[in-house]
Each structure stands twice: as structure tokens, then as C-alpha cells.
Amino acid sequence: MKLPLRWLKEYVDFDISIDEFKERMIMRGFEIAEVIEEMPNISNVYVGQVKSIAKHENSDKLFVCAVDIGRGENIQIVTNASYLFEGAIVPVALDGATLAGGLVIKNTVLRGVESYGMFCGKSELNIKDHEITGADDRILILNDASMIGKTIQEALGLDSVIFDIEITPNRQDCQSIIGICREAAAALGKKFKEPVIKHIEGSGNAADYASVTILNPTLCPRYVARVIKDIKIEPSPLWMQTKLRSVGLRPINNIVDITNYVLIEYGHPMHAFDLACVDSGAIIVRNAYENEKITTLDGVERETTPEMLLITDPKKPVGLAGIMGGENSGITENTKAVLFESAAFIADNIRRTSRKLGLVSDSAQRFMRGVEPVNAYLALERAVELVHELGAGTVVGEVIDVNYADISQRVIEVDTKRVNRIIGEELSPEYMKALLETINIESTVKGDTLVVNVPHYRVDIESGIESDHDIAEEVARLHGYEKLTPRLMSGRTFSGKLEPHVQAEDNIKNLLAGFGAYEMYNYSFMSPADLEKLMLPKDSRKRQAVRILNPLGEDQSLMRTTLTPGMLNTLAHNIRHKTKHNRFFEVGNIHFDKEDLPEEVKMLGLAFMGDGENFFTLKGVIEALFEFLGITGYRFKAGGSDYLCPGKKAEIFVNGDYIGEMGAVHPLVEKEYEISSAYIAEIEFNKLLKHKAAVKKYKSLPKFPSVERDIAIIVDDSAKCDDVCDIMYSTELDCVIENVTLFDVYKGAGIPEGKKSMAFSYTLRRDDKTLNDKEITEATNKLLMALECKLGAKLRQ
Amino acid sequence: MTVQDLDKIKQNALKALESINDLDDLNTFYPTVLGRNGELTLALREMKNLSPEERAVFGQHANTVKKELEEVIENKRKALADAKMREMFEKEAVDVTAPGKVCIPRGRIHPMTQVYREIRDAMIGLGFTTYEGPEIEYEDYCFTKLNLPKGHPARDMQDTFYISDSVVLRTHTTPCEVRSLLSKKPPFRLVIPGRVFRVDEVDASHSPVFMQMEGFVVDKNLSLRDLKGTLIEFVHTVFGNDVNMRMRPSYFPFTEPSAEIDISCTICGGKGCRVCKGTGWIEILGCGIINPHVLENCGVDPNEWSAFAFGIGVDRVTSLKFGISDIRLEYENDARFLRQF
């Protein structure tokens, strides 16, 4: 909302600094986002008068002027403006002046003659669509001798500022000069005198000219209209034009300007119909028919749908209610009689229509914020007053007012004790009453109750369960939030805690960072193209992505079903930026489409790439994570998603429960994402937590020494490490076998074709004694026997 | 065998020792004199052939010579060992000014997580417990139950990604207030972190995805003063004790009264700079007393219970704390960026 300081000053004295005003306003809930100078970025430009003009001694095209800038002594300026004359009153940019476009003026010497400034034209002063006339490319000739010596801003009356104030959506009443001035006056500690509109009696009978019928009172609770005849279409007076310009509106003609002026002043949009174009003057407010078309004032033909509200006459639509009038009934220079419309339309309906048609007008925007029916009436009265004042036409008859809204004075009873409970202070009802009075809200004290007359424009103050809170908000705001003494929540105490899964997430992240991985955050979106780049089969669950109806772009239109695209993009980004060794992890949600709410699954993703990384460096970190969490009984089984590399991918199971997968990224996928030799893992986070040891129990350390042994066996090429380990662990022995670890695999000379040698180390021990050689040999023989029996393994000699 | 013979053995041994410069040689030499069959040992064995008088003199002298030699050899051994170690030290000395090596890359917790933990832990200290809800949420929970019915002007404040008519990507963590009110018995204090979404094109200060944290307290007789006191504690824990806090009126549909919290600019200390747009203040969170409609919508009696809430953007606080000028960096995962925290 733009509030020109000049306009504010019409209501109250402004006797504090702008900074102080900003401070007071923000503490009342009105943030001044910007203080705009009326003539910004122009400095050190004064008005002077040319006293004499002489020819330049070294140039035929230059002239030397003596200029009076009201400082006693004339200054000398060299110019090429041959049209300049003695006595001309002109803007003069002095040494150091800033002009449009950041141009800085300095004293200079032109062909041997000193020049102490420059005469300015409109373009240099950034005066464009303004009441000052004159050629754009010439020096601006002013005509008022009293301007001499003043700054150009003072001289042109452009030395004030315009406040750009942010209005919260609840305070639609402050989307008007009157409303915001009411608050500003209170902030200045001044009384705001509510303007009184002079009712203009009309001549004749309005019914002879026009009628109004509302067929859908739900969408249009009130429609107020008035007829003006003998219209003289002409430019509006300068004061009105200036004010309209100061809030960014372009003057058009008196009638249109009046509606715009009232929109700014009262915050209520109006419309003026050329009455001659409304068939029999009969306004009918109704929903559109199927496929009904209307050409709006902007010349665009719009196809409407039945939920849209139209202003019509018996034969045709003449306006899109609250959004834009029809081209067929707009004001032209030939307009002789108008019907002023001031109606209350329902915000939601205007919003829908505006969105659907892609048509946003000032009027629509205002309606979308919400208007109220009493203000509709006042706006019309004000417009008629202005018509009268401007002599724009003859007012006919009385106000046509079709009203279905409750416009009676609303009274609420407020429990001041509760208000105090909400604020936390002990304010007296009388004090509250006094605070409310500063913004012209009248109330009476009845014991602990405050009986409040809610002004019609304060639709945000509700009747009902919210009313105590509404008044508490006003009281707190007017009392000053800064005066509230901070207090820590009293009453019972609480023991705060991290939920165990939150604590676990912290720990897991710390561990992974300790293993050299950077934590990453990728967007939750993915592109349909990712589904193809990942070579997902048609029936893949990862294709069941949640689709966003209004995405930022097609490439962000799906909610990710896997962390993989994000991880691969992160790797690609880092490779592009020459990071040679990459370890990343992410904890984030993926989603699968489902009836009702989608299924949300929290995932842990790992992505390794670069120097020395391979399948086993990634696996090692995952195993270390399992060990840290106390997860036992995990298995890596060959297999996994199609975007992983065959032969180098594994599905991970804990006690038979699938928890995720890992592996090298498929070379074709790597090509798509512009990476190479990447290893990734994706593990269901909650399954990690599910299999995490609830409590870690201490096992007493072995009392007797263990012995470490190695064996090398020759097995089929297809034998897996786990196959051997399983057999060794499950072989019945008279001692404990631990730490069975593969440490070498060999194929080649000395090993038959189709076979390989695997070397394992393992430890043996007993809890009750030290093992002797015989027992060790016996155990080893049993192991070999089991391996031979179950796996056909032979001891490698 | 005479005392002179002993002296001769000694002289010879000392002479031989002089030319020995190596521990191994010394070890070889030792037994030739003092070993079982060493010269001196053999000489001593000869002692039995001497007269008792001679034997006494000879024996005493022999012992002196043995001690002397042993001492000399021991000293020599020490000197040689020392020299050998010094030589090794010299040989294996490193250039201590050369760069250190890390065998695994430098991992790091994302700065946003670091800030999230700091904020969360500040709230845990105030008696809050963590609580989470889904990222894809019922429109009813995200808006309607929060006093933002369809057509409410404030809905425009939150440009929403829609999944269907009734399902949205949550625009704030506030629907978790609805979920907790529907499922938990008051009183309670919750800290609610989570990812939220708004239809915002990506630029230096906007991201369609960001992280929010919400504090939510339901209890009897909670007031604006309690909210202010809680937030001052919170602000001081997260931003330091010398930061000033300002609470000013604002508007949110789900709170009434509502407030915005500013802190004195962490860059300029309140004097006014580019970051705070010259105001000296930086807006960090929105808060308020929960609107009684919200409690009622969730089946909690607003006459019995009161509540307050505050919501803070973790991304924003991260930018502020670390002086990150472009929010995009927080989702780019550039190792050169991440390693700085």
C-alpha cells in the first residue's frame, strides 16, 4: 500500500522524523518496506535564472551565461542551447550534482571558459509523465520566479516521500488511504478525524433511469448504484491527477479518475457504466450461462463458465463482476450518463474467476483481499461527492441500494481477564478502552467486560470464540509488544528429549562424516527423464512417483522415488569442479504414489567416487555402520537395481529382511549423468533402526589365548566368500571359531581351470583352557572336511 | 703368566678397541678377550698354577683389568649405539613443513544440519521433545484446520504445490500442530523439524525446498509474555547473549495475537548494513498465540487449553550464521563449500 506523506499530512500533523515514524509503524504491525522519494536519485539541482548571455570567444556554437541561483553572486555556465533567453528560469545542476542514470556533473572548462554547472532538461531530471510540459530534449523552462534558489524538488513540489507499507492480509481496511491514515495518526499520537462525506441530493427519480437485481446474493451481498447524467468527460483537476500519479496511477478522464481515486482513498473498487449501453438501464447480477462470452475493456474476448459472476443487462453481459467492465459499456468521450457501481463481491469467487481467466486487475486484487458492504456504500457516496465537486455531471435521484448483507452495528463482549491472560499482563479495562479509542474503536467498560462496538471496516475482529484474541491482539499491539516483560513458561516443567530415532540419525550422520563423507541435501524433486536415464523397467516401483500438478518445470515435476538422481547429480557437479575424491551421504525422504497420502520412506544414501574408491571401500563403510549400530546377521547378496552394474551390485539383508542395495553405477547410467566409477548405496533408514541393537550387552573378554590359523582351499570359481564362512562357522567343533576372513583369492598357474584358490584366516579358542596343538589340528581337519564335503573344497598344498 | 702379561692383554685389547667403529665388530671382539675362551679368561684360568702369594696379587690385578676393559667396552657400545640411532634419525628425518596427509577424505555434517541441531538442542533444553510429520500432507491439515479455509486471502501468502485437490506438499511444518493436537494429550512441548515446499523459482534467496523448525507448546494460561520469554532464551542460545531481540506485531491465520521476531543484525551489530537493509534488524521467525479456532478444529477446548507456536527457517538461519549469501549453495552439495563448516 502506497501512502504519500503529503496525503497523510492532509489528515494529521507529521511532526516526527521519517525514521521514527517507520519505527512506530513497524511496532504496530505495519512495516514500511520502502520510503520512496518523489523525485529520486536527483541531487544538487537548483532553480536559477539566466541573467545574461554572451557569445563564447572560441566557439560559434557555445554561449556563456551568468546565472542567478539565489546565492548573491551569479555563476557562469557554458551552454550550447541557442534558444535560451535572458530571464529564463531553469534547473541548474551544480558541481557534484547527480542526474538521471547516475550522471554526475562536475565543474569544467569548455574551450578555455570555465563552466560551473549545467542546465537540465526533463529527461535529465527523470521527469516523465508529469504535469510539467515542455520538450523532452530541451532545457526545462520554468515560469515561477519564486522558485529561484530552491532545489528542483522544492520548486516542483516533489520534495516529499511516499511510504510503501506492507499490509497483512487481515487488515484489508488498511488497503486504503483512510484506513492506513487512521493507524498512522494513532502512531503519531494524533486523533484521526473520520472524514464526513456530504450526501448529494439528486434530482428526479433514479428508477426512471436504472434498476438493480441480484440473482446470486451469496456471491454479491450488496450492490449500490447511482446514476449521473449530463456527463462532461474531461481531464480531472490537477490535484486529483497529481495524487493519482503519486500512488502510481495514470490519470485518464474525470469519471474514470474518480473511481480510481475512491479505490485508493476508500479501498473499494468501483465501476462506471455508460448508461446508454445498458439495455433499459437494468443491471442484473447473475452467474454466467454456459459458454457465454464477454469482451472486456482490454479488448479481449473472454469465455466464461457458470461459476463466474457477471454484471448483465437483460440482453447481454456488460461486465465481469469485480474484475473488469465490458468493452460494450465502457466510458468514452461521448458518454452522456453513467451508472456508478459499488458492490460487495465475494473474494474467493473473484479469485477463482481471475485465476481461471488469467486476468488480474487492480479491482480484482482489491476484491481478493476482501471488501465489506458498508464501505461499498461509503465509496459510492464519496464518488458522487467528487462528481459534484468536480462538476462532472448531474446526480440523479437517490442511491439504488440492493443489500442482502447484515450491516447493523456489531457489538462484542470481551472478557478483559482473558485478554490479560492471553497477553500475560494486568491491564485495566479502562486502559484497554483508551487504547482502542486511539484507533477510533468505541467501547464501554462493564465490570470485567469490555463492550466493543466493532467498526464496520474491522472485519478481522470476529464475534465468537476468537473475539477475546482479536481484542487481545489490538490491545497488545497498541500497548506495545516492546513493553511486555519476558517470562519463561510457568507451571509444570517438562523434560525435553530427542526421540531415539532422532538421536540415532545424529549418530549415523556423525559416523559417516567421520568416514570422510560429506552430508548432502538434494531437492525432493526429480524429472520424468530420470526414470529413463536410470533405465528403470516399466514395472519398477520407482516409476510410481507422486506427480506435482503445478511444478516449477517438467524436470521438477515428480517427487523422488530414489535418492539416486540427486546423488549422481551431486557427484557430477563435484567432478565438474575438479573434486577428485568424493564421498557423500544423504538422509532424505522418498515417496511412492498411493491412495490417500503417498507412502513416505526415509532413506540413507551413500555415493563414493574417485581416488581409490571401489565396491569394497563402500561396503566397508556400510559394514562399519552396521557394526556401530550393533546390527548382526547382515548379508550382501549379488543383485540389485538395473541402474547398478551387473556383477558389482548387492542387495543387503538383515536377518532375511531386505534393507537396501549397493553397487557400482551402471556405465550407461554413468554416461547419462556424466560421471564415471561411482559407487552408491541406498538403505531404508527405518530398517536400520529396526535392526539396530536395542541395548548393547557386554561379553566378557576371553580369558585364554586364541590361536590364529590360515588355510588356502581350492574351490569352484562360483564359490562365494560367504559360502565358505557359513560352513566354517557352522562346523561343529570342540572350540570357538571367530573372525573368519578372506584375505586372498588366486586364479592361474597351479590352479585348475574353473577353480580358484581362496585363503582365509580364522581364530580358534576355548573359554575354559588354552588350546593345544592336537586340538588345533583336529579342529582344522574338521573344517577342511566340512568344506570338502559341502563345497568340494580341497586344501591347497 | 705374570702381571705384565695381564697388562699386555689389556694394552692389546685397548688398541684393538680403538679401531672398532661398529657395534657388530664390537660384539665379535668382546668374546675374544672376555668371553669363555677369551684371552683374559684363559689367563685367569692359569692362576691355579701360581703360588698363593703370587695368586693374590695376580688375581687382584686380573680383576682390575677385567673391570677396566668391561667398562671401556660398555662405553664404546653405548657410543656406537647412540651413533647408530642418530644416523637412523638423520636418515629417516621428514620435512615437517611438508603438507599433512589424510588417508580418507574430509567428511562433514552439512551446515544446515549443524544449525538444525543447534536450534533443536536449544529447544530440548527448554523442555521440548522432537516430533515429525509427513512432507506430503492433507490440504485440510496444512490449511483448513489451521484457520485458512479455501478462499482465505492469506492462502496466497503460501504458494502451494498441489498433488491433488486435497493433498499438497506442505508449505510449513504447522500441520504437525494439527497432528499432535489430534493425537496427543496436552500439555506438551514439541520441536518439529522438517522439509517444506513453496512454489518459488530458485534464486539467491529463494528455494522451492527448504527446512523449517517449529516450536509448539500446549498448556494452560500461555501468554504473549511466556512466548517472548521463551524466544529470548532461544535466541540467546542460538545466536549468543549479546544479540538483541525485538518482538513486533504481525499476522498469521493460525495465531492471534501474532508476532514477528527480529534480532539485531549479526553482520553489523545493529548499525545498519546491506544484509539488514540498513534497518539493523533481521527477521528470523514468526510466532504467536494459537488461534482458538485451530484448537477447536482439532478437538481441543480453547477455554481450557492455550498454545503458542513459533516457526523458523533453518536455511535462513544457516545463511545468517555463516554469512552465506546464496541459498542455492545449500542444495548444491559442492565439496568445496561443505568442507568450510
Side-chain angles (χ1 to χ4, degrees):
Chain A
M1 172 74 201
K2 289 210 168 64
L3 171 64
L5 176 56
R6 276 176 208 288
W7 214 327
L8 173 60
K9 282 176 173 170
E10 288 179 16
Y11 292 98
V12 284
D13 284 343
F14 189 88
D15 52 8
I16 57 174
S17 73
I18 283 171
D19 280 346
E20 171 71 16
F21 180 62
K22 276 175 77 175
E23 175 67 21
R24 290 195 196 174
M25 288 296 277
I26 200 171
M27 289 312 291
R28 287 163 170 268
F30 297 94
E31 185 174 357
I32 297 180
E34 202 183 347
V35 179
I36 306 159
E37 286 176 39
E38 285 180 328
M39 199 170 173
N41 308 323
I42 306 291
S43 71
N44 212 24
V45 178
Y46 288 83
V47 176
Q49 186 170 36
V50 180
K51 288 295 180 188
S52 66
I53 302 176
K55 291 216 74 161
H56 192 292
E57 52 198 19
N58 301 323
S59 167
D60 288 342
K61 291 191 176 147
L62 294 178
F63 305 89
V64 181
C65 308
V67 185
D68 170 15
I69 55 162
R71 296 184 183 174
E73 213 167 301
N74 291 345
I75 62 164
Q76 178 172 296
I77 293 176
V78 177
T79 179
N80 64 353
S82 55
Y83 53 89
L84 211 58
F85 52 93
E86 285 176 6
I89 299 168
V90 288
V92 183
L94 299 179
D95 188 42
T98 317
L99 300 179
L103 181 69
V104 176
I105 300 303
K106 293 263 182 249
N107 289 344
T108 180
V109 178
L110 290 166
R111 297 216 176 172
V113 177
E114 286 162 337
S115 181
Y116 296 96
M118 190 186 94
F119 302 122
C120 306
K122 276 170 68 175
S123 59
E124 282 138 346
L125 296 172
N126 227 349
I127 301 172
K128 284 191 188 116
D129 188 19
H130 195 268
E131 58 262 45
I132 295 174
T133 50
D136 275 350
D137 55 346
R138 288 190 156 206
I139 291 165
L140 181 62
I141 307 293
L142 301 163
N143 50 15
D144 185 350
S146 70
M147 290 177 178
I148 298 167
K150 291 181 178 168
T151 64
I152 187 73
Q153 284 92 346
E154 282 174 306
L156 298 180
L158 294 172
D159 56 343
S160 188
V161 295
I162 294 145
F163 300 113
D164 191 3
I165 308 179
E166 286 178 9
I167 308 291
T168 51
N170 56 326
R171 293 302 301 273
Q172 53 74 36
D173 62 301
C174 290
Q175 297 283 1
S176 68
I177 295 288
I178 303 258
I180 192 64
C181 283
R182 192 181 285 123
E183 285 287 346
L188 289 161
K190 302 277 176 2
K191 183 81 191 157
F192 178 79
K193 257 187 79 190
E194 299 286 339
V196 180
I197 305 166
K198 192 174 148 213
H199 177 71
I200 308 297
E201 297 285 338
S203 55
N205 190 352
D208 293 344
Y209 293 83
S211 66
V212 172
T213 313
I214 301 175
L215 294 181
N216 188 341
T218 315
L219 297 184
C220 177
R222 190 175 202 182
Y223 195 110
V224 194
R226 206 145 189 209
V227 175
I228 314 288
K229 61 176 186 176
D230 309 331
I231 294 286
K232 275 193 304 194
I233 298 290
E234 58 186 10
S236 54
L238 205 59
W239 67 263
M240 185 178 271
Q241 291 194 22
T242 307
K243 276 175 150 177
L244 287 174
R245 280 200 181 94
S246 72
V247 294
L249 287 177
R250 200 164 52 89
I252 294 165
N253 61 47
N254 51 356
I255 298 300
V256 175
D257 288 359
I258 283 172
T259 61
N260 281 336
Y261 188 84
V262 171
L263 170 62
I264 299 301
E265 194 182 33
Y266 276 79
H268 196 95
M270 291 179 60
H271 186 66
F273 292 101
D274 185 332
L275 195 56
C277 305
V278 178
D279 191 61
S280 52
I283 292 287
I284 302 159
V285 184
R286 61 159 171 86
N287 287 64
Y289 303 136
E290 204 72 59
N291 301 326
E292 201 169 2
K293 291 189 176 77
I294 175 169
T295 302
T296 41
L297 273 174
D298 54 5
V300 179
E301 188 185 73
R302 319 251 173 200
E303 194 161 321
T304 60
T305 51
E307 68 276 6
M308 296 179 182
L309 196 66
L310 294 179
I311 311 300
T312 67
D313 68 18
K315 291 190 173 145
K316 61 184 184 297
V318 293
L320 204 51
I323 299 175
M324 198 175 272
E327 195 179 41
N328 56 13
S329 54
I331 304 300
T332 67
E333 50 203 44
N334 303 318
T335 298
K336 294 285 175 275
V338 302
L339 179 124
F340 272 129
E341 162 200 286
S342 182
F345 299 113
I346 297 303
D348 192 32
N349 184 257
I350 301 291
R351 178 180 296 110
R352 282 159 190 271
T353 304
S354 169
R355 284 232 172 119
K356 206 157 182 182
L357 295 178
L359 178 57
V360 184
S361 60
D362 288 344
S363 166
Q365 277 185 324
R366 191 59 198 82
F367 277 114
M368 284 188 244
R369 293 193 178 106
V371 298
E372 52 89 20
V374 174
N375 203 33
Y377 191 92
L378 293 177
L380 181 76
E381 284 282 88
R382 174 62 172 153
V384 172
E385 184 186 36
L386 287 167
V387 166
H388 188 74
E389 198 181 314
L390 267 51
T394 311
V395 182
V396 175
E398 270 315 297
V399 177
I400 304 170
D401 181 3
V402 183
N403 180 34
Y404 294 91
D406 178 7
I407 51 169
S408 58
Q409 170 67 55
R410 213 149 47 85
V411 178
I412 56 172
E413 293 197 350
V414 175
D415 175 0
T416 59
K417 282 207 208 128
R418 181 139 182 215
V419 169
N420 275 325
R421 277 208 302 278
I422 294 166
I423 304 174
E425 296 282 350
E426 300 286 328
L427 308 175
S428 72
E430 287 75 18
Y431 177 64
M432 292 184 194
K433 173 182 155 69
L435 288 176
L436 293 176
E437 252 163 30
T438 64
I439 49 168
N440 295 2
I441 297 180
E442 300 302 325
S443 60
T444 46
V445 177
K446 277 190 189 154
D448 286 333
T449 304
L450 199 61
V451 183
V452 179
N453 289 339
V454 183
H456 63 87
Y457 49 83
R458 289 305 300 270
V459 288
D460 60 310
I461 301 179
E462 281 189 24
S463 314
I465 60 161
E466 203 187 300
S467 60
D468 290 343
H469 283 258
D470 285 322
I471 295 302
E473 179 164 74
E474 289 306 296
V475 168
R477 180 171 82 81
L478 298 169
H479 173 66
Y481 279 26
E482 69 278 12
K483 290 190 195 135
L484 302 178
T485 328
R487 173 173 80 188
L488 259 187
M489 295 171 278
S490 48
R492 58 168 285 185
T493 54
F494 290 77
S495 62
K497 66 171 194 291
L498 294 181
E499 293 289 353
H501 69 275
V502 178
Q503 183 66 63
E505 184 174 326
D506 276 15
N507 295 343
I508 289 170
K509 285 183 173 181
N510 291 347
L511 182 91
L512 293 171
F515 275 117
Y518 288 112
E519 185 185 8
M520 60 184 158
Y521 280 114
N522 288 297
Y523 282 162
S524 305
F525 311 127
M526 65 177 185
S527 167
D530 284 317
L531 304 176
E532 307 313 320
K533 283 156 100 177
L534 291 180
M535 311 191 302
L536 293 174
K538 290 283 164 260
D539 59 349
S540 168
R541 178 144 199 252
K542 294 191 172 86
R543 283 185 180 270
Q544 290 168 28
V546 177
R547 180 170 284 280
I548 299 166
L549 294 178
N550 55 332
L552 283 175
E554 182 64 6
D555 59 338
Q556 303 193 331
S557 61
L558 300 180
M559 294 301 282
R560 58 183 175 180
T561 52
T562 157
L563 301 182
T564 301
M567 296 199 290
L568 300 186
N569 285 329
T570 288
L571 290 177
H573 172 93
N574 281 285
I575 284 297
R576 277 199 300 278
H577 292 93
K578 310 268 186 287
T579 299
K580 292 202 178 72
H581 192 175
N582 293 287
R583 280 189 174 187
F584 288 95
F585 72 94
E586 175 172 25
V587 175
N589 289 329
I590 58 172
H591 293 89
F592 296 101
D593 202 13
K594 205 172 82 143
E595 278 294 299
D596 200 36
L597 286 187
E599 183 183 343
E600 186 172 286
V601 186
K602 195 182 225 179
M603 301 300 287
L604 165 66
L606 289 157
F608 289 15
M609 182 166 86
D611 295 353
E613 297 293 7
N614 58 45
F615 183 91
F616 296 102
T617 56
L618 176 58
K619 188 181 174 189
V621 170
I622 295 171
E623 286 173 324
L625 174 65
F626 289 165
E627 190 179 314
F628 169 75
L629 292 173
I631 294 176
T632 51
Y634 56 81
R635 283 296 170 115
F636 290 74
K637 292 186 187 163
S641 293
D642 286 359
Y643 51 80
L644 297 176
C645 182
K648 277 192 210 156
K649 59 182 173 185
E651 293 181 314
I652 310 167
F653 295 83
V654 178
N655 299 322
D657 185 15
Y658 173 84
I659 70 159
E661 62 177 359
M662 65 157 294
V665 179
H666 196 290
L668 294 176
V669 176
E670 289 188 327
K671 212 171 152 197
E672 292 286 349
Y673 287 90
E674 294 171 17
I675 52 174
S676 63
S677 307
Y679 298 84
I680 59 170
E682 255 189 291
I683 298 171
E684 288 184 37
F685 194 83
N686 288 332
K687 289 208 171 162
L688 278 182
L689 303 187
K690 179 178 144 195
H691 294 292
K692 173 178 172 289
V695 185
K696 288 185 181 173
K697 275 266 169 61
Y698 163 71
K699 273 195 289 190
S700 59
L701 302 176
K703 286 195 183 65
F704 298 92
S706 57
V707 291
E708 191 169 318
R709 286 289 182 271
D710 294 343
I711 47 168
I713 50 172
I714 293 168
V715 289
D716 284 348
D717 219 357
S718 60
K720 297 261 181 295
C721 173
D722 270 0
D723 300 338
V724 177
C725 295
D726 286 350
I727 293 168
M728 289 179 70
Y729 280 127
S730 59
T731 304
E732 219 162 291
L733 301 172
D734 293 329
C735 57
V736 182
I737 179 165
E738 287 170 336
N739 305 328
V740 178
T741 311
L742 175 70
F743 68 89
D744 189 40
V745 178
Y746 173 74
K747 279 191 262 192
I751 307 294
E753 191 71 14
K755 301 271 182 187
K756 65 182 170 187
S757 155
M758 297 175 98
F760 288 85
S761 64
Y762 54 97
T763 55
L764 299 172
R765 64 174 180 82
R766 281 182 71 128
D767 285 332
D768 55 349
K769 58 181 282 231
T770 305
L771 287 166
N772 60 35
D773 284 349
K774 192 175 153 241
E775 287 162 332
I776 294 166
T777 310
E778 210 170 283
T780 301
N781 287 340
K782 278 190 186 167
L783 291 169
L784 284 170
M785 213 141 65
L787 287 168
E788 179 164 10
C789 193
K790 294 182 179 161
L791 207 61
K794 294 264 187 287
L795 185 68
R796 185 177 170 202
Q797 300 298 337
Chain B
M1 186 58 63
T2 64
V3 171
Q4 281 71 29
D5 292 334
L6 287 175
D7 284 341
K8 196 159 181 210
I9 290 171
K10 182 178 139 190
Q11 294 310 325
N12 288 343
L14 288 175
K15 204 168 171 202
L17 275 169
E18 264 175 43
S19 60
I20 289 176
N21 282 314
D22 186 273
L23 262 183
D24 293 341
D25 293 349
L26 186 66
N27 289 336
T28 322
F29 172 74
Y30 180 88
T32 62
V33 182
L34 291 165
R36 255 174 160 222
N37 298 310
E39 254 182 294
L40 193 60
T41 318
L42 292 176
L44 278 168
R45 248 179 242 157
E46 296 278 317
M47 214 163 63
K48 59 181 189 283
N49 304 328
L50 297 176
S51 67
E53 295 80 27
E54 279 174 324
R55 199 185 294 166
V57 176
F58 185 89
Q60 204 179 0
H61 194 68
N63 274 329
T64 312
V65 168
K66 191 179 176 194
K67 260 191 194 149
E68 265 181 48
L69 281 179
E70 273 180 343
E71 199 181 315
V72 170
I73 289 172
E74 190 49 36
N75 285 343
K76 184 97 189 179
R77 188 192 304 281
K78 268 190 196 149
L80 288 175
D82 267 9
K84 190 171 183 187
M85 211 188 297
R86 270 200 306 277
E87 193 187 330
M88 184 192 82
F89 285 160
E90 212 166 290
K91 218 164 94 188
E92 296 182 2
V94 300
D95 175 1
V96 297
T97 64
K101 271 186 192 163
V102 179
C103 297
I104 48 174
R106 297 161 169 78
R108 210 71 99 234
I109 299 294
H110 196 287
M112 210 150 70
T113 306
Q114 295 181 26
V115 169
Y116 144 73
R117 289 180 183 176
E118 211 173 318
I119 295 174
R120 180 195 69 195
D121 294 349
M123 289 168 72
I124 299 290
L126 291 168
F128 290 69
T129 293
T130 50
Y131 185 87
E132 284 159 297
E135 290 172 357
I136 304 182
E137 188 51 283
Y138 297 115
E139 191 195 40
D140 185 43
Y141 287 10
C142 198
F143 298 125
T144 314
K145 283 210 163 38
L146 292 173
N147 201 30
L148 268 149
K150 275 211 166 72
H152 192 290
R155 272 211 188 186
D156 288 348
M157 288 160 79
Q158 317 207 338
D159 230 337
T160 314
F161 287 115
Y162 277 86
I163 299 302
S164 70
D165 277 351
S166 58
V167 177
V168 299
L169 301 191
R170 65 177 173 189
T171 54
H172 46 192
T173 42
T174 319
C176 291
E177 292 180 15
V178 175
R179 289 181 174 270
S180 63
L181 286 169
L182 291 172
S183 64
K184 289 174 83 80
K185 253 181 113 104
F188 52 78
R189 294 179 185 175
L190 304 177
V191 47
I192 306 158
R195 197 168 251 214
V196 300
F197 307 85
R198 303 250 171 114
V199 182
D200 265 327
E201 289 289 347
V202 182
D203 66 23
S205 51
H206 293 89
S207 168
V209 176
F210 57 102
M211 188 179 185
Q212 203 176 47
M213 278 183 93
E214 188 131 337
F216 184 45
V217 181
V218 184
D219 208 332
K220 309 222 165 181
N221 298 323
L222 290 170
S223 72
L224 265 187
R225 274 183 64 195
D226 297 306
L227 175 58
K228 193 175 182 182
T230 306
L231 288 173
I232 284 184
E233 285 302 316
F234 169 76
V235 161
H236 284 170
T237 312
V238 176
F239 294 98
N241 283 325
D242 44 358
V243 160
N244 291 322
M245 184 189 104
R246 172 170 86 171
M247 186 186 209
R248 59 182 166 86
S250 187
Y251 168 75
F252 303 103
F254 28 90
T255 53
E256 174 134 49
S258 303
E260 204 87 58
I261 298 293
D262 300 335
I263 56 166
S264 50
C265 180
T266 48
I267 307 294
C268 64
K271 287 194 284 288
C273 68
R274 226 161 44 99
V275 173
C276 60
K277 294 185 191 105
T279 63
W281 295 101
I282 294 179
E283 191 179 306
I284 56 153
L285 63 84
C287 59
I289 302 292
I290 298 296
N291 190 304
H293 284 307
V294 175
L295 297 181
E296 203 178 45
N297 291 342
C298 300
V300 172
D301 182 2
N303 291 313
E304 187 185 353
W305 295 101
S306 57
F308 69 61
F310 51 97
I312 188 163
V314 179
D315 310 53
R316 196 173 144 65
V317 178
T318 306
S319 303
L320 275 179
K321 281 195 78 134
F322 297 115
I324 302 165
S325 53
D326 191 331
I327 202 168
R328 280 172 290 203
L329 287 165
E330 292 175 35
Y331 292 93
E332 213 170 62
N333 306 316
D334 192 313
R336 296 168 302 168
F337 167 81
L338 295 170
R339 131 198 259 171
Q340 294 180 27
F341 305 97

